Amino acid sequence: MEQEYTNYPRFTPEMKKTHKILIPNMAPVQFQLLAASMEQQGYTCELLENCGSEVCELGLKYVHNDTCYPALLVIGQFLDALNSGKYDLDHTALIITQTGGGCRASNYIHLLRKALVKAGYGQVPVVSLNFSGLEKDSGFPMTMPFMRKLLSYIYYGDLLVALRAQTEPYETKKGAAKAAQEKWLDILCDKIHHDRSWSMREMKKLMPQMAADFAAIPVNRVPKVKVGVVGEIYVKYSPLGNNDLEQFLASQDCEVNLPGLMGFVQYCIYNYSETARLYGGNFLQRHGSDWLLRGIENTETLLIRTLKQHGFHAPLPFRELVKLSKGIIGMGNKMGEGWLLTCEMIELVQAGYENIVCAQPFGCLPNHICGKGMINKIRELYPTANITPIDYDPSATRVNQENRIKLMLAVGRERLTERPVH
Ligand code: SF4
């Protein structure tokens, strides 16, 4: 038995030329850019789009049913893809992220390897994408220049998501914002393939062009119910994980605010030094995060400025977001999305997105504490906060989830009509 887990196939440098890497689809926009960046590095990859009930069923079949729902879906999606017959199994690899934090997400990779053996795909190597030096024998080679590029691409993705979300509900010509997003994704992927677009000079040129394109789309900005979405990172972003939550909210005539993926990256960086500050560590460990965060602040400032200059709502700088935790939640709550989840809810309420869906996967204790567990406290401070926790698990039905969200929206609509028109 032991042999199965220590003798797993390693992803060797030679496999870069021979294997196709399958990527689970978590954040569809940002991950398209990440896939392009891997291709630029010489890898062949494919972003998985398979979904449906088989994915969850396979997850349930090959991992223990008390496993976190995101792990169950990611593993199920991989197995469903391998079962499809579309891939040459001797030349296929899988990639999975490891946060490096204390939560179970750092260990999904072992569950995946175990499931692969059980399902008869023991020859398929798993690559680990992490920033913490984990899985040295099968880790995706992470260099500082590549890391720098990845962060730029995530910022581009966050910008495109924000621009579309704030334009689409108001557009007078249906499909214009979606088309603009697809156009820019094509442009960016092409640039990434040619190793362009990641420098600050390029970003200063491209980001305003992207925003100007969306700002030029004809809109009718009638008041709509504004909904924020927070939660565990996978179910928050992945349409597979949250039963197409964004699309459902759009069908209910809402404007949706999905906080950017970079917030989570910054949170992970911040926590590295916070751990040392709380539990002890040397000078570098206590302050390393600050230097790293300062290093990406320019790009964050550019994104915020771009949004504001073109008339869109912009998120708070991470530095300000951190302060929202004061008196509400301790910074030691850093398992899962931890204090970030609470701060995002407060930020959304303050920005007028007071109707919030808090997406929680089955088996996720940290997010039940920092999400659902903080709702009363937030309501106490912000009485207009209209937050609904929604559970996502294999037995939860879409109808049930959507009915609960509809109840929240009914309150949001009532308040919208009561609000004085300026
Ligand atoms: S955050 Fe929740 S879902 Fe994610 S690994 Fe931790 S317990 Fe599991």
Side-chain angles (χ1 to χ4, degrees), residues 23 28 34 69 111 159 229 242 261 276 293 314:
I23 309 170
L34 298 188
Y69 188 52
L111 288 180
L159 179 63
V229 176
N242 60 31
L261 184 55
L293 287 170

Side-chain angles (χ1 to χ4, degrees), residues 68-70 103-106 108 232 335-337 361-367:
C68 308
Y69 188 52
C103 212
R104 292 188 271 177
S106 295
Y108 290 168
E232 186 277 337
M335 295 294 134
E337 281 54 44
F362 172 76
C364 180
L365 181 64
N367 284 300

Side-chain angles (χ1 to χ4, degrees), residues 88-304:
D88 170 359
L89 298 174
D90 293 323
H91 296 98
T92 300
L94 314 174
I95 191 163
I96 190 165
T97 50
Q98 284 184 287
T99 57
C103 212
R104 292 188 271 177
S106 295
N107 301 306
Y108 290 168
I109 194 165
H110 310 293
L111 288 180
L112 173 58
R113 286 189 179 128
K114 197 172 152 187
L116 287 171
V117 172
K118 275 208 270 178
Y121 301 122
Q123 78 274 38
V124 177
V126 182
V127 190
S128 162
L129 181 71
N130 70 78
F131 297 97
S132 344
L134 299 166
E135 296 289 315
K136 292 206 179 348
D137 57 4
S138 282
F140 189 87
M142 200 53 86
T143 58
M144 278 311 269
F146 184 60
M147 228 187 275
R148 164 76 184 84
K149 289 176 191 176
L150 282 184
L151 297 182
S152 305
Y153 304 148
I154 298 175
Y155 270 123
Y156 276 124
D158 285 352
L159 179 63
L160 278 179
V161 170
L163 289 170
R164 178 174 167 183
Q166 292 181 50
T167 309
E168 199 163 37
Y170 308 99
E171 64 192 7
T172 50
K173 191 174 158 232
K174 276 285 149 242
K178 182 173 183 260
Q181 190 184 69
E182 282 166 3
K183 177 188 112 178
W184 276 103
L185 274 172
D186 286 347
I187 294 174
L188 288 171
C189 286
D190 185 56
K191 285 187 179 290
I192 292 170
H193 285 141
H194 292 91
D195 200 19
R196 287 167 48 211
S197 81
W198 55 269
S199 68
M200 198 57 188
R201 194 173 54 87
E202 282 278 317
M203 294 187 90
K204 277 186 178 162
K205 201 172 77 187
L206 287 174
M207 281 194 164
Q209 283 177 10
M210 287 156 72
D213 234 15
F214 280 86
I217 293 173
V219 288
N220 179 16
R221 292 209 176 263
V222 288
K224 297 210 180 221
V225 176
K226 292 183 168 187
V227 183
V229 176
V230 296
E232 186 277 337
I233 188 146
Y234 184 85
V235 293
K236 173 179 165 185
Y237 292 114
S238 166
L240 174 63
N242 60 31
N243 282 332
D244 276 319
L245 176 61
E246 257 189 289
Q247 220 176 339
F248 171 71
L249 289 169
S251 75
Q252 299 299 303
D253 204 22
C254 304
E255 181 192 320
V256 185
N257 185 330
L258 198 61
L261 184 55
M262 264 314 287
F264 183 73
V265 176
Q266 287 165 300
Y267 159 82
C268 292
I269 298 174
Y270 181 93
N271 284 343
Y272 173 75
S273 285
E274 189 60 17
T275 306
R277 286 191 285 264
L278 288 169
Y279 306 114
N282 60 32
F283 185 80
L284 186 67
Q285 287 163 335
R286 278 184 282 119
H287 300 284
S289 300
D290 304 339
W291 294 321
L292 280 172
L293 287 170
R294 235 173 283 144
I296 49 179
E297 230 164 50
N298 280 351
T299 322
E300 182 187 56
T301 308
L302 173 64
L303 177 135
I304 293 172

Side-chain angles (χ1 to χ4, degrees), residues 320-340:
E320 297 298 314
L321 188 77
V322 173
K323 292 183 192 157
L324 298 180
S325 64
K326 220 168 174 198
I328 297 177
I329 188 166
M331 304 309 270
N333 289 283
K334 50 192 178 49
M335 295 294 134
E337 281 54 44
W339 58 261
L340 175 73

